[in-house]
Amino acid sequence: MNGRIGSALAPVREALADGARSEAARLVADAERDAAALVGEARAEASRVLDGARAEGRADGALAAAAARSRARAASRAIVLGARRRAYEELRRRVRGEVRALFDGPDAPANEEALATRARTLLGAGARVERAGGGGLVGRVRDAEVDLSADALTDRAMAALGTEVADLWAPR
């Protein structure tokens, strides 16, 4: 990316990054609180299941108790994974909303112009640039296309987080 394009896109990138960081921090706090509650419930349920398994184990033997403990661990894990998935999807939904908002507010013309410049840089000056549903742009030439829609930008931002997203739910 040349210096002018980078400079032109810097406010958009900075706004996206600031918004994503702020939203991620809030979502992390929410997710940690929700995950702690879910883990507490899962542990209580696992404890109840284990208590029942111990009673069964005394009556039915060690094999039945081991199977019940395994089921309890699997159920706990499923609850935690479900909570993580819901938090990730909520983060994705909110980031998408923030990105779309960049194309609705007072900065929309400047943001669209920066994207149009980026599309023409990537595809050539003759690229046809059109608005995308939900915000952003799509640039096209005869044999190529660049998707700079709000949804595509969101997907790229989420993908760029990579394994950092998993860190949001890692125990501290």
Side-chain angles (χ1 to χ4, degrees):
M1 184 178 331
N2 72 33
R4 284 192 330 220
I5 293 171
S7 295
L9 291 177
V12 173
R13 280 194 311 267
E14 191 170 313
L16 285 171
D18 288 345
R21 278 191 289 272
S22 173
E23 189 63 20
R26 194 178 62 68
L27 285 172
V28 166
D30 290 349
E32 286 176 347
R33 186 180 62 251
D34 293 345
L38 286 170
V39 168
E41 292 170 13
R43 285 186 177 142
E45 178 63 20
S47 179
R48 285 190 294 277
V49 170
L50 286 173
D51 288 345
R54 284 186 190 103
E56 286 178 25
R58 284 184 218 104
D60 298 338
L63 186 56
R69 282 192 300 274
S70 177
R71 285 190 306 272
R73 281 191 300 274
S76 294
R77 181 78 175 142
I79 289 169
V80 170
L81 290 176
R84 287 179 180 177
R85 174 43 94 188
R86 286 188 300 277
Y88 178 84
E89 290 303 327
E90 180 63 14
L91 174 61
R92 181 183 203 88
R93 185 188 68 75
R94 290 182 185 191
V95 168
R96 180 169 280 128
E98 291 293 321
V99 172
R100 284 181 174 177
L102 293 172
F103 301 103
D104 289 334
D107 296 330
N111 293 335
E112 284 185 1
E113 183 58 35
L115 289 179
T117 299
R118 179 70 177 143
R120 288 188 178 101
T121 298
L122 293 170
L123 298 172
R128 187 177 72 236
V129 179
E130 301 170 350
R131 283 195 168 104
L137 303 172
V138 175
R140 292 185 177 92
V141 292
R142 188 172 55 91
D143 58 349
E145 176 178 290
V146 63
D147 187 352
L148 299 172
S149 66
D151 290 346
L153 294 171
T154 298
D155 291 343
R156 287 186 197 111
M158 294 298 290
L161 291 174
T163 59
E164 291 178 41
V165 172
D167 292 341
L168 297 176
W169 299 281
R172 297 194 194 295

